[in-house]
Amino acid sequence: MDTDKEDTAGCYYNRTVKFFYEESGKNISIHWRGRDYVIVTLGMTVCFIVIFSNLLVMGAILKNRRFHFPIYYLLGNLAVADLFSGVSYLHLMFHTGPWTIKLTKYRWFVRQGLIDTSLTASVLNLLAVAVERHQTIFNMQLHSKMSTRRVFIIIVFIWLLAIVMGLVPTMGWHCLCDLPNCSTMAPMYSRSYLVFWALLNLLTFSVMVAVYTRIFLYVRHKSQQMSQHTSQMRHRETVFNLMKTVSMILGCFVVCWTPGLVVLLLDGLGCDKCQVLRYEKYCLVLAECNSFVNPIIYSFRDKDMRRTFKEILCFLCRRGDGNKSTSGVHFNTLEHENYKSRTADPLPSSSNGTPLIHRQQGAPPPSET
């Protein structure tokens, strides 16, 4: 922070950003190098993809009333967090490289705080979605019975915790008065804070691994039971698709987040031989990629979401299109959905694919005996 307070013994309140970078061994180039251009170009490309894809998800959730359920509220909040992550990282791209030396300490802490807040919010949202999916799948439901009020409380808690994590270094957990404890990757951050932040995210990561592993084992067990009692391929297909989605979620999270968290932890532990600066920006870009992978995994695999995306992108938001494309029947359990898929007769369609006969709106599925 930039203050009028004079330096005291062991504290460096009035020193420039350049001073802390030089002390930590992270040199700032005055001129743009080829590596700087590559990092900034790659980073800005990822940012624009993140911003566009998450705006699309938010627009689809707002537009289509079929998505007004707890899981989609959480996915919408995840899109907001990832959008904020894209904007924060875009801000970083305009304040990195040779531009860093022109920053005041206050602007430097704002730059880093935005990144910490946005990435923490994204991780916490992923955890909230994992817990919600665990609850609904084990209850054999497609939509959670969680109240809107509870969802709102969860969302507020996520953002409060994320904002606190972003403000912690600014509020005093820095190294302005503890120069030997300054981080190499973030020269005004305390190494102890980096260890805390990395371990907290790794703990969240471990919880997600445990939740998704339990879901995976349950779905596999349920699939084996289904194969013993029914020969309907569509019934089994639903379960295998769910297993594939769970595997993709877990795999992408591991790929995108593990390298960056490990590098942060190594820097916090003071590993001088690890050459963390060589991998710093690439790990940050890879972690940011998770923000546009999320819309692909959670939303693009949903047929109704894809249909809404097409309507938005093609400017075909005509009133009544949603009524023609959906039946208005909502299922509370996987059994009801699969019963409908086994017993429903194909509806005759015209040459352009529009159904000629519409099922009665709001008709409940018959109960199985």
Side-chain angles (χ1 to χ4, degrees), residues 12-96:
Y12 304 88
Y13 294 111
N14 287 324
R15 299 303 180 97
T16 63
V17 171
K18 182 180 179 181
F19 169 79
F20 290 95
Y21 272 70
E22 291 176 347
E23 288 294 323
S24 66
K26 187 175 184 179
N27 297 323
I28 304 178
S29 176
I30 302 177
H31 305 287
W32 285 90
R33 301 165 296 182
R35 178 174 175 268
D36 297 324
Y37 284 112
V38 172
I39 294 296
V40 171
T41 302
L42 179 61
M44 292 183 67
T45 301
V46 172
C47 289
F48 286 123
I49 295 175
V50 168
I51 293 172
F52 172 76
S53 61
N54 286 284
L55 280 175
L56 195 60
V57 172
M58 293 164 59
I61 293 176
L62 290 174
K63 178 181 182 296
N64 196 332
R65 291 189 177 183
R66 188 183 182 279
F67 301 137
H68 294 180
F69 291 96
I71 178 61
Y72 290 107
Y73 295 149
L74 292 176
L75 292 179
N77 191 49
L78 175 61
V80 173
D82 289 338
L83 174 65
F84 185 65
S85 177
V87 173
S88 301
Y89 195 71
L90 186 62
H91 177 268
L92 174 64
M93 290 296 100
F94 285 103
H95 297 84
T96 190

Coordinates of all heavy atoms in Angstrom, one line a residue, residues 12-96:
Y12 N 9.2 -1.3 5.0 CA 9.5 -0.6 3.8 C 8.2 -0.1 3.1 O 7.8 -0.5 2.0 CB 10.3 -1.5 2.8 CG 11.6 -2.0 3.4 CD1 11.5 -3.2 4.1 CD2 12.7 -1.3 3.3 CE1 12.7 -3.7 4.7 CE2 13.9 -1.8 3.9 CZ 13.9 -3.0 4.6 OH 15.0 -3.5 5.2
Y13 N 7.5 0.8 3.8 CA 6.2 1.3 3.3 C 6.3 2.2 2.1 O 5.4 2.2 1.3 CB 5.4 2.0 4.4 CG 5.1 1.1 5.6 CD1 5.7 1.3 6.8 CD2 4.1 0.1 5.4 CE1 5.3 0.5 7.9 CE2 3.7 -0.7 6.5 CZ 4.4 -0.5 7.7 OH 4.0 -1.3 8.8
N14 N 7.4 2.9 2.0 CA 7.5 3.9 0.9 C 8.4 3.5 -0.2 O 8.7 4.3 -1.1 CB 8.0 5.2 1.5 CG 7.0 6.0 2.3 OD1 5.8 5.9 2.0 ND2 7.4 6.6 3.4
R15 N 8.8 2.2 -0.3 CA 9.6 1.7 -1.4 C 8.7 1.4 -2.5 O 7.5 1.1 -2.4 CB 10.4 0.5 -0.9 CG 11.3 0.7 0.2 CD 12.3 1.8 -0.2 NE 13.3 2.1 0.9 CZ 14.5 1.6 1.0 NH1 14.9 0.7 0.0 NH2 15.3 1.9 2.0
T16 N 9.3 1.4 -3.7 CA 8.5 1.1 -4.9 C 8.3 -0.4 -5.2 O 9.0 -1.2 -4.5 CB 9.2 1.7 -6.2 OG1 10.5 1.1 -6.3 CG2 9.4 3.2 -6.0
V17 N 7.5 -0.7 -6.1 CA 7.3 -2.1 -6.5 C 8.6 -2.7 -7.0 O 8.9 -3.9 -6.8 CB 6.1 -2.2 -7.6 CG1 6.1 -3.6 -8.2 CG2 4.8 -1.8 -7.0
K18 N 9.3 -1.9 -7.8 CA 10.6 -2.4 -8.3 C 11.5 -2.8 -7.2 O 12.3 -3.8 -7.4 CB 11.2 -1.3 -9.1 CG 12.5 -1.7 -9.8 CD 13.1 -0.5 -10.6 CE 14.5 -0.9 -11.2 NZ 15.1 0.2 -12.0
F19 N 11.5 -2.1 -6.1 CA 12.4 -2.5 -5.0 C 12.1 -3.9 -4.5 O 13.0 -4.7 -4.3 CB 12.2 -1.5 -3.8 CG 12.9 -1.9 -2.5 CD1 14.2 -1.8 -2.3 CD2 12.1 -2.5 -1.5 CE1 14.8 -2.1 -1.1 CE2 12.7 -2.9 -0.3 CZ 14.0 -2.7 -0.1
F20 N 10.8 -4.3 -4.3 CA 10.5 -5.6 -3.8 C 10.8 -6.7 -4.9 O 11.2 -7.8 -4.5 CB 9.0 -5.6 -3.4 CG 8.7 -4.8 -2.2 CD1 8.3 -3.5 -2.3 CD2 8.9 -5.3 -0.9 CE1 8.0 -2.7 -1.2 CE2 8.6 -4.6 0.2 CZ 8.2 -3.3 0.1
Y21 N 10.6 -6.4 -6.1 CA 10.9 -7.3 -7.2 C 12.4 -7.6 -7.2 O 12.8 -8.8 -7.4 CB 10.4 -6.8 -8.5 CG 9.0 -7.2 -8.8 CD1 7.9 -6.6 -8.1 CD2 8.7 -8.1 -9.8 CE1 6.6 -7.0 -8.4 CE2 7.4 -8.5 -10.1 CZ 6.4 -7.9 -9.4 OH 5.1 -8.2 -9.7
E22 N 13.2 -6.6 -7.1 CA 14.7 -6.8 -7.1 C 15.1 -7.6 -5.8 O 16.0 -8.4 -5.9 CB 15.4 -5.4 -7.1 CG 15.2 -4.7 -8.5 CD 15.8 -3.4 -8.5 OE1 16.2 -2.9 -7.4 OE2 16.0 -2.8 -9.6
E23 N 14.5 -7.3 -4.7 CA 14.9 -8.0 -3.5 C 14.5 -9.5 -3.5 O 15.2 -10.3 -3.0 CB 14.2 -7.3 -2.3 CG 14.8 -6.0 -1.9 CD 16.2 -6.1 -1.4 OE1 16.5 -7.1 -0.7 OE2 17.0 -5.2 -1.7
S24 N 13.4 -9.8 -4.2 CA 13.0 -11.2 -4.3 C 13.6 -12.0 -5.4 O 13.5 -13.2 -5.5 CB 11.4 -11.3 -4.5 OG 11.1 -10.7 -5.7
G25 N 14.4 -11.3 -6.3 CA 15.0 -11.9 -7.4 C 14.2 -12.1 -8.6 O 14.6 -12.8 -9.5
K26 N 13.0 -11.4 -8.6 CA 12.2 -11.4 -9.8 C 12.4 -10.2 -10.6 O 11.8 -9.1 -10.3 CB 10.7 -11.6 -9.4 CG 9.8 -11.8 -10.6 CD 8.3 -12.0 -10.1 CE 7.4 -12.3 -11.2 NZ 6.0 -12.6 -10.8
N27 N 13.2 -10.3 -11.6 CA 13.6 -9.1 -12.4 C 12.5 -8.6 -13.3 O 11.7 -9.5 -13.9 CB 14.8 -9.4 -13.3 CG 16.0 -9.7 -12.4 OD1 16.2 -9.1 -11.3 ND2 16.9 -10.6 -12.8
I28 N 12.3 -7.3 -13.4 CA 11.3 -6.7 -14.3 C 12.0 -6.2 -15.5 O 12.9 -5.3 -15.4 CB 10.5 -5.6 -13.6 CG1 9.9 -6.1 -12.4 CG2 9.4 -5.0 -14.6 CD1 9.1 -5.0 -11.6
S29 N 11.6 -6.7 -16.7 CA 12.3 -6.2 -17.9 C 11.7 -4.8 -18.3 O 10.5 -4.6 -18.3 CB 12.1 -7.2 -19.1 OG 12.6 -6.7 -20.3
I30 N 12.5 -3.9 -18.7 CA 12.1 -2.6 -19.1 C 11.5 -2.7 -20.5 O 10.6 -1.9 -20.9 CB 13.2 -1.6 -19.1 CG1 13.8 -1.5 -17.6 CG2 12.8 -0.2 -19.5 CD1 14.9 -0.6 -17.5
H31 N 12.1 -3.6 -21.3 CA 11.6 -3.7 -22.7 C 10.9 -5.0 -22.9 O 11.1 -6.0 -22.2 CB 12.9 -3.7 -23.7 CG 13.7 -2.5 -23.5 ND1 13.4 -1.2 -24.0 CD2 15.0 -2.4 -22.9 CE1 14.4 -0.4 -23.7 NE2 15.3 -1.0 -23.0
W32 N 10.0 -5.0 -23.9 CA 9.2 -6.2 -24.2 C 10.0 -7.3 -24.9 O 10.7 -7.0 -25.9 CB 8.0 -5.8 -25.1 CG 6.9 -5.1 -24.3 CD1 6.8 -3.8 -24.1 CD2 5.8 -5.7 -23.6 NE1 5.7 -3.5 -23.3 CE2 5.1 -4.7 -23.0 CE3 5.4 -7.0 -23.4 CZ2 3.9 -4.9 -22.3 CZ3 4.3 -7.3 -22.7 CH2 3.5 -6.2 -22.1
R33 N 10.0 -8.5 -24.3 CA 10.7 -9.6 -24.9 C 9.7 -10.5 -25.7 O 8.5 -10.4 -25.5 CB 11.4 -10.4 -23.8 CG 12.4 -9.6 -23.0 CD 12.8 -10.4 -21.8 NE 11.6 -10.5 -20.9 CZ 11.7 -11.1 -19.7 NH1 12.9 -11.6 -19.3 NH2 10.6 -11.2 -18.9
G34 N 10.2 -11.4 -26.5 CA 9.4 -12.3 -27.3 C 8.5 -13.1 -26.3 O 7.3 -13.4 -26.6
R35 N 9.1 -13.6 -25.2 CA 8.3 -14.4 -24.2 C 7.1 -13.6 -23.7 O 6.1 -14.1 -23.4 CB 9.3 -14.8 -23.1 CG 8.6 -15.6 -22.0 CD 9.6 -16.1 -21.0 NE 9.0 -16.8 -19.9 CZ 8.7 -16.2 -18.8 NH1 8.9 -14.9 -18.6 NH2 8.2 -16.9 -17.8
D36 N 7.4 -12.3 -23.4 CA 6.3 -11.4 -22.9 C 5.1 -11.3 -23.9 O 3.9 -11.4 -23.5 CB 6.8 -10.0 -22.6 CG 7.9 -10.0 -21.5 OD1 7.7 -10.9 -20.6 OD2 8.8 -9.2 -21.6
Y37 N 5.4 -11.2 -25.2 CA 4.4 -11.1 -26.2 C 3.6 -12.4 -26.2 O 2.4 -12.4 -26.4 CB 5.0 -10.8 -27.5 CG 5.4 -9.3 -27.7 CD1 6.8 -9.0 -27.8 CD2 4.5 -8.3 -27.8 CE1 7.2 -7.7 -28.0 CE2 4.8 -7.0 -27.9 CZ 6.2 -6.7 -28.0 OH 6.6 -5.4 -28.2
V38 N 4.3 -13.5 -26.1 CA 3.6 -14.8 -26.2 C 2.6 -15.0 -25.0 O 1.5 -15.4 -25.2 CB 4.6 -16.0 -26.2 CG1 3.9 -17.3 -26.1 CG2 5.4 -15.9 -27.5
I39 N 3.1 -14.7 -23.8 CA 2.3 -14.8 -22.6 C 1.1 -13.9 -22.7 O -0.1 -14.3 -22.4 CB 3.1 -14.6 -21.4 CG1 4.2 -15.6 -21.2 CG2 2.2 -14.5 -20.1 CD1 3.7 -17.0 -21.0
V40 N 1.3 -12.7 -23.0 CA 0.2 -11.7 -23.0 C -0.8 -12.1 -24.1 O -2.1 -12.0 -23.9 CB 0.7 -10.3 -23.3 CG1 -0.5 -9.3 -23.5 CG2 1.5 -9.8 -22.0
T41 N -0.3 -12.5 -25.3 CA -1.3 -12.9 -26.4 C -2.1 -14.1 -26.0 O -3.3 -14.1 -26.2 CB -0.5 -13.1 -27.7 OG1 0.3 -12.0 -28.0 CG2 -1.4 -13.5 -28.8
L42 N -1.4 -15.1 -25.5 CA -2.1 -16.3 -25.0 C -3.1 -16.0 -23.9 O -4.2 -16.5 -23.9 CB -1.1 -17.3 -24.6 CG -1.6 -18.7 -24.1 CD1 -2.4 -19.4 -25.2 CD2 -0.5 -19.6 -23.6
G43 N -2.7 -15.2 -23.0 CA -3.5 -14.8 -21.8 C -4.8 -14.1 -22.3 O -5.9 -14.3 -21.8
M44 N -4.6 -13.1 -23.2 CA -5.7 -12.3 -23.6 C -6.7 -13.2 -24.4 O -7.9 -13.0 -24.4 CB -5.3 -11.1 -24.5 CG -4.5 -10.1 -23.7 SD -4.0 -8.6 -24.6 CE -5.6 -7.9 -25.0
T45 N -6.2 -14.1 -25.2 CA -7.0 -15.0 -26.0 C -7.9 -15.8 -25.1 O -9.1 -16.0 -25.3 CB -6.2 -15.9 -26.9 OG1 -5.4 -15.1 -27.8 CG2 -7.1 -16.9 -27.7
V46 N -7.3 -16.4 -24.0 CA -8.0 -17.2 -23.0 C -9.1 -16.3 -22.3 O -10.2 -16.7 -22.1 CB -7.1 -17.8 -22.0 CG1 -7.8 -18.5 -20.9 CG2 -6.1 -18.8 -22.7
C47 N -8.7 -15.1 -22.0 CA -9.6 -14.2 -21.3 C -10.9 -13.9 -22.2 O -12.0 -14.0 -21.6 CB -9.0 -12.8 -21.0 SG -7.7 -12.9 -19.7
F48 N -10.7 -13.6 -23.4 CA -11.9 -13.4 -24.3 C -12.8 -14.6 -24.4 O -14.0 -14.5 -24.5 CB -11.4 -12.9 -25.7 CG -10.9 -11.4 -25.6 CD1 -9.6 -11.2 -26.1 CD2 -11.7 -10.4 -25.1 CE1 -9.1 -9.9 -26.1 CE2 -11.2 -9.1 -25.1 CZ -9.9 -8.8 -25.6
I49 N -12.2 -15.8 -24.5 CA -13.0 -17.0 -24.6 C -13.7 -17.2 -23.3 O -14.9 -17.6 -23.3 CB -12.0 -18.2 -24.9 CG1 -11.4 -18.1 -26.2 CG2 -12.8 -19.5 -24.8 CD1 -10.4 -19.2 -26.5
V50 N -13.1 -17.0 -22.2 CA -13.7 -17.1 -20.8 C -14.9 -16.2 -20.7 O -16.0 -16.5 -20.3 CB -12.7 -16.9 -19.7 CG1 -13.4 -16.7 -18.4 CG2 -11.7 -18.0 -19.7
I51 N -14.7 -14.9 -21.1 CA -15.7 -13.9 -20.9 C -16.9 -14.2 -21.9 O -18.1 -14.2 -21.4 CB -15.2 -12.5 -21.3 CG1 -14.2 -12.1 -20.2 CG2 -16.3 -11.5 -21.4 CD1 -13.4 -10.8 -20.5
F52 N -16.6 -14.6 -23.1 CA -17.7 -14.9 -24.1 C -18.5 -16.1 -23.6 O -19.7 -16.1 -23.6 CB -17.1 -15.1 -25.4 CG -18.1 -15.6 -26.5 CD1 -19.1 -14.7 -27.0 CD2 -18.2 -16.9 -26.8 CE1 -20.0 -15.1 -27.9 CE2 -19.1 -17.4 -27.7 CZ -20.0 -16.5 -28.3
S53 N -17.8 -17.2 -23.3 CA -18.5 -18.4 -23.0 C -19.4 -18.3 -21.7 O -20.5 -18.8 -21.7 CB -17.5 -19.6 -22.8 OG -16.6 -19.3 -21.8
N54 N -18.9 -17.6 -20.7 CA -19.6 -17.4 -19.5 C -20.8 -16.4 -19.6 O -21.8 -16.6 -19.0 CB -18.7 -17.1 -18.3 CG -17.9 -18.2 -17.9 OD1 -18.3 -19.1 -17.2 ND2 -16.6 -18.2 -18.3
L55 N -20.6 -15.4 -20.5 CA -21.8 -14.6 -20.8 C -22.9 -15.3 -21.5 O -24.1 -15.1 -21.2 CB -21.3 -13.4 -21.7 CG -20.6 -12.2 -21.0 CD1 -20.1 -11.2 -22.0 CD2 -21.6 -11.5 -20.0
L56 N -22.5 -16.3 -22.3 CA -23.4 -17.1 -23.0 C -24.2 -18.0 -22.1 O -25.4 -18.2 -22.2 CB -22.7 -18.0 -24.1 CG -23.6 -18.6 -25.2 CD1 -24.3 -17.6 -26.0 CD2 -22.7 -19.5 -26.1
V57 N -23.5 -18.6 -21.1 CA -24.1 -19.4 -20.1 C -25.1 -18.6 -19.3 O -26.3 -19.0 -19.0 CB -23.1 -20.1 -19.2 CG1 -23.8 -20.8 -18.0 CG2 -22.2 -21.1 -20.0
M58 N -24.7 -17.4 -18.8 CA -25.5 -16.6 -18.0 C -26.8 -16.2 -18.8 O -27.9 -16.2 -18.2 CB -24.8 -15.4 -17.5 CG -23.6 -15.7 -16.5 SD -22.5 -14.3 -16.4 CE -23.5 -13.0 -15.8
G59 N -26.6 -15.8 -20.0 CA -27.8 -15.4 -20.8 C -28.7 -16.6 -21.0 O -30.0 -16.4 -21.0
A60 N -28.2 -17.8 -21.2 CA -29.1 -18.9 -21.4 C -29.9 -19.3 -20.2 O -31.1 -19.6 -20.3 CB -28.2 -20.1 -21.9
I61 N -29.2 -19.2 -19.0 CA -29.9 -19.5 -17.8 C -31.0 -18.4 -17.5 O -32.1 -18.8 -17.0 CB -28.9 -19.5 -16.6 CG1 -28.0 -20.7 -16.8 CG2 -29.7 -19.6 -15.3 CD1 -26.9 -20.9 -15.7
L62 N -30.8 -17.2 -17.8 CA -31.8 -16.1 -17.6 C -32.9 -16.3 -18.6 O -34.1 -16.0 -18.2 CB -31.1 -14.7 -17.7 CG -30.1 -14.3 -16.6 CD1 -29.5 -13.0 -17.0 CD2 -30.9 -14.2 -15.3
K63 N -32.6 -16.7 -19.8 CA -33.6 -16.7 -20.9 C -34.6 -17.9 -20.7 O -35.8 -17.8 -20.9 CB -32.9 -16.8 -22.2 CG -33.9 -16.9 -23.4 CD -33.1 -17.0 -24.7 CE -34.0 -17.0 -25.9 NZ -34.9 -18.2 -25.9
N64 N -34.0 -19.0 -20.4 CA -34.8 -20.3 -20.4 C -35.3 -20.6 -19.0 O -34.5 -20.9 -18.1 CB -34.0 -21.4 -20.9 CG -34.8 -22.6 -21.3 OD1 -35.9 -22.8 -20.8 ND2 -34.4 -23.4 -22.2
R65 N -36.6 -20.6 -18.8 CA -37.2 -20.8 -17.4 C -37.0 -22.3 -17.0 O -37.1 -22.5 -15.8 CB -38.7 -20.5 -17.4 CG -39.0 -19.0 -17.5 CD -40.4 -18.7 -17.3 NE -40.7 -17.3 -17.3 CZ -41.9 -16.7 -17.1 NH1 -42.9 -17.5 -16.8 NH2 -42.0 -15.4 -17.1
R66 N -36.7 -23.1 -17.9 CA -36.4 -24.5 -17.5 C -35.2 -24.6 -16.7 O -35.0 -25.6 -15.9 CB -36.3 -25.4 -18.8 CG -36.2 -26.9 -18.5 CD -36.0 -27.7 -19.8 NE -35.9 -29.1 -19.5 CZ -34.9 -29.7 -19.0 NH1 -33.8 -29.1 -18.8 NH2 -34.9 -31.0 -18.8
F67 N -34.3 -23.6 -16.7 CA -33.1 -23.7 -15.9 C -33.2 -23.0 -14.6 O -32.2 -22.7 -13.9 CB -32.0 -23.0 -16.7 CG -31.7 -23.7 -18.0 CD1 -31.5 -22.9 -19.2 CD2 -31.7 -25.0 -18.1 CE1 -31.2 -23.5 -20.4 CE2 -31.4 -25.6 -19.4 CZ -31.2 -24.9 -20.5
H68 N -34.4 -22.7 -14.2 CA -34.7 -22.0 -12.9 C -34.8 -23.0 -11.8 O -35.9 -23.1 -11.1 CB -35.9 -21.0 -13.0 CG -35.7 -19.9 -13.9 ND1 -36.6 -18.9 -14.2 CD2 -34.6 -19.6 -14.7 CE1 -36.1 -18.1 -15.0 NE2 -34.9 -18.4 -15.4
F69 N -33.7 -23.7 -11.5 CA -33.6 -24.7 -10.5 C -32.3 -24.5 -9.7 O -31.4 -23.9 -10.2 CB -33.7 -26.1 -11.0 CG -35.0 -26.5 -11.6 CD1 -35.3 -26.4 -13.0 CD2 -36.1 -27.0 -10.8 CE1 -36.5 -26.7 -13.5 CE2 -37.3 -27.3 -11.3 CZ -37.5 -27.2 -12.7
P70 N -32.2 -25.0 -8.5 CA -31.0 -24.8 -7.7 C -29.7 -25.1 -8.4 O -28.7 -24.3 -8.3 CB -31.2 -25.7 -6.5 CG -32.7 -25.8 -6.3 CD -33.2 -25.8 -7.7
I71 N -29.6 -26.2 -9.1 CA -28.4 -26.6 -9.8 C -28.0 -25.5 -10.8 O -26.8 -25.2 -10.9 CB -28.5 -28.0 -10.4 CG1 -27.2 -28.3 -11.2 CG2 -29.6 -28.1 -11.4 CD1 -26.0 -28.4 -10.3
Y72 N -29.0 -25.0 -11.5 CA -28.6 -24.0 -12.5 C -28.3 -22.6 -11.9 O -27.6 -21.8 -12.5 CB -29.8 -23.9 -13.5 CG -29.9 -25.1 -14.4 CD1 -30.9 -26.0 -14.2 CD2 -29.0 -25.3 -15.4 CE1 -31.1 -27.1 -15.0 CE2 -29.1 -26.4 -16.2 CZ -30.1 -27.3 -16.0 OH -30.2 -28.4 -16.8
Y73 N -28.9 -22.4 -10.7 CA -28.5 -21.1 -10.0 C -27.0 -21.2 -9.6 O -26.3 -20.2 -9.7 CB -29.4 -20.9 -8.8 CG -30.8 -20.7 -9.0 CD1 -31.8 -21.1 -8.2 CD2 -31.2 -20.0 -10.2 CE1 -33.2 -20.9 -8.4 CE2 -32.6 -19.8 -10.5 CZ -33.5 -20.2 -9.6 OH -34.9 -20.0 -9.8
L74 N -26.6 -22.4 -9.2 CA -25.2 -22.6 -8.8 C -24.3 -22.5 -10.1 O -23.2 -21.9 -10.0 CB -25.0 -23.9 -8.1 CG -25.6 -24.0 -6.7 CD1 -25.5 -25.4 -6.2 CD2 -25.0 -23.0 -5.7
L75 N -24.8 -23.1 -11.2 CA -24.0 -23.0 -12.4 C -23.9 -21.6 -12.9 O -22.9 -21.1 -13.5 CB -24.6 -23.9 -13.5 CG -24.5 -25.4 -13.2 CD1 -25.2 -26.2 -14.3 CD2 -23.1 -25.8 -13.0
G76 N -25.0 -20.8 -12.7 CA -25.0 -19.4 -13.1 C -24.0 -18.6 -12.2 O -23.3 -17.8 -12.8
N77 N -24.0 -18.9 -11.0 CA -23.0 -18.3 -10.1 C -21.6 -18.7 -10.4 O -20.6 -17.9 -10.4 CB -23.3 -18.6 -8.6 CG -22.5 -17.7 -7.7 OD1 -22.5 -16.5 -7.8 ND2 -21.8 -18.4 -6.7
L78 N -21.4 -19.9 -10.9 CA -20.1 -20.4 -11.3 C -19.7 -19.6 -12.6 O -18.5 -19.2 -12.7 CB -20.1 -21.9 -11.6 CG -18.9 -22.5 -12.3 CD1 -17.7 -22.3 -11.3 CD2 -19.1 -23.9 -12.6
A79 N -20.7 -19.3 -13.5 CA -20.4 -18.6 -14.7 C -20.0 -17.1 -14.3 O -19.1 -16.5 -14.9 CB -21.6 -18.6 -15.6
V80 N -20.7 -16.5 -13.3 CA -20.3 -15.2 -12.8 C -18.9 -15.2 -12.3 O -18.1 -14.3 -12.6 CB -21.3 -14.7 -11.7 CG1 -20.9 -13.4 -11.1 CG2 -22.7 -14.6 -12.3
A81 N -18.6 -16.2 -11.5 CA -17.2 -16.3 -10.9 C -16.2 -16.4 -12.0 O -15.1 -15.8 -12.0 CB -17.1 -17.4 -9.9
D82 N -16.5 -17.3 -13.0 CA -15.5 -17.5 -14.1 C -15.4 -16.2 -15.0 O -14.4 -15.9 -15.5 CB -15.9 -18.7 -14.9 CG -15.7 -20.0 -14.2 OD1 -14.9 -20.0 -13.2 OD2 -16.4 -21.0 -14.5
L83 N -16.6 -15.5 -15.1 CA -16.5 -14.3 -15.9 C -15.7 -13.2 -15.2 O -14.8 -12.6 -15.8 CB -18.0 -13.7 -16.0 CG -18.1 -12.3 -16.7 CD1 -17.6 -12.4 -18.1 CD2 -19.6 -11.9 -16.6
F84 N -15.8 -13.1 -13.9 CA -15.0 -12.2 -13.1 C -13.5 -12.6 -13.1 O -12.6 -11.8 -13.2 CB -15.5 -12.3 -11.6 CG -14.8 -11.3 -10.7 CD1 -14.9 -9.9 -10.9 CD2 -14.0 -11.7 -9.7 CE1 -14.3 -9.0 -10.1 CE2 -13.4 -10.8 -8.8 CZ -13.5 -9.4 -9.1
S85 N -13.3 -13.9 -13.2 CA -11.9 -14.4 -13.4 C -11.3 -14.0 -14.7 O -10.2 -13.6 -14.7 CB -11.9 -16.0 -13.3 OG -10.6 -16.5 -13.5
G86 N -12.1 -14.1 -15.7 CA -11.7 -13.6 -17.1 C -11.4 -12.1 -17.1 O -10.3 -11.7 -17.6
V87 N -12.2 -11.3 -16.5 CA -12.0 -9.9 -16.4 C -10.8 -9.5 -15.6 O -10.0 -8.7 -15.9 CB -13.3 -9.2 -15.8 CG1 -13.0 -7.7 -15.6 CG2 -14.5 -9.3 -16.8
S88 N -10.6 -10.3 -14.4 CA -9.5 -10.0 -13.6 C -8.2 -10.4 -14.3 O -7.2 -9.6 -14.2 CB -9.6 -10.9 -12.3 OG -10.8 -10.5 -11.6
Y89 N -8.2 -11.5 -15.0 CA -7.0 -11.9 -15.7 C -6.7 -11.0 -16.9 O -5.5 -10.7 -17.2 CB -7.1 -13.3 -16.2 CG -5.8 -14.0 -16.5 CD1 -4.9 -14.3 -15.6 CD2 -5.5 -14.2 -17.9 CE1 -3.7 -14.9 -15.9 CE2 -4.3 -14.8 -18.2 CZ -3.4 -15.1 -17.3 OH -2.2 -15.7 -17.6
L90 N -7.7 -10.4 -17.5 CA -7.5 -9.5 -18.6 C -6.9 -8.2 -18.0 O -6.0 -7.6 -18.6 CB -8.9 -9.1 -19.2 CG -8.8 -8.2 -20.5 CD1 -8.0 -8.9 -21.6 CD2 -10.2 -7.9 -21.0
H91 N -7.4 -7.8 -16.8 CA -6.7 -6.6 -16.1 C -5.3 -6.9 -15.8 O -4.4 -6.0 -16.0 CB -7.5 -6.4 -14.8 CG -6.9 -5.3 -14.0 ND1 -6.0 -5.5 -13.0 CD2 -7.1 -3.9 -14.0 CE1 -5.7 -4.4 -12.4 NE2 -6.3 -3.4 -13.0
L92 N -5.0 -8.2 -15.5 CA -3.6 -8.5 -15.2 C -2.7 -8.4 -16.5 O -1.6 -8.0 -16.4 CB -3.5 -10.0 -14.7 CG -2.1 -10.6 -14.5 CD1 -1.3 -9.8 -13.4 CD2 -2.2 -12.0 -14.1
M93 N -3.3 -8.8 -17.6 CA -2.5 -8.8 -18.9 C -2.1 -7.3 -19.2 O -1.1 -7.1 -19.9 CB -3.4 -9.4 -20.0 CG -3.5 -10.9 -19.9 SD -2.0 -11.8 -20.0 CE -1.7 -12.2 -18.3
F94 N -2.9 -6.3 -18.8 CA -2.6 -4.9 -19.1 C -1.8 -4.3 -18.0 O -1.5 -3.1 -18.1 CB -3.9 -4.1 -19.2 CG -4.6 -4.4 -20.6 CD1 -5.8 -5.2 -20.6 CD2 -4.1 -3.8 -21.7 CE1 -6.4 -5.4 -21.8 CE2 -4.8 -4.0 -22.9 CZ -5.9 -4.8 -23.0
H95 N -1.4 -5.1 -17.0 CA -0.5 -4.6 -15.9 C 0.6 -5.6 -15.6 O 0.9 -5.8 -14.4 CB -1.3 -4.3 -14.7 CG -2.4 -3.2 -14.9 ND1 -3.6 -3.5 -15.4 CD2 -2.3 -1.9 -14.6 CE1 -4.3 -2.4 -15.4 NE2 -3.6 -1.4 -15.0
T96 N 1.1 -6.2 -16.6 CA 2.2 -7.2 -16.4 C 3.4 -6.9 -17.3 O 3.3 -5.9 -18.1 CB 1.7 -8.6 -16.8 OG1 2.6 -9.6 -16.4 CG2 1.4 -8.8 -18.3

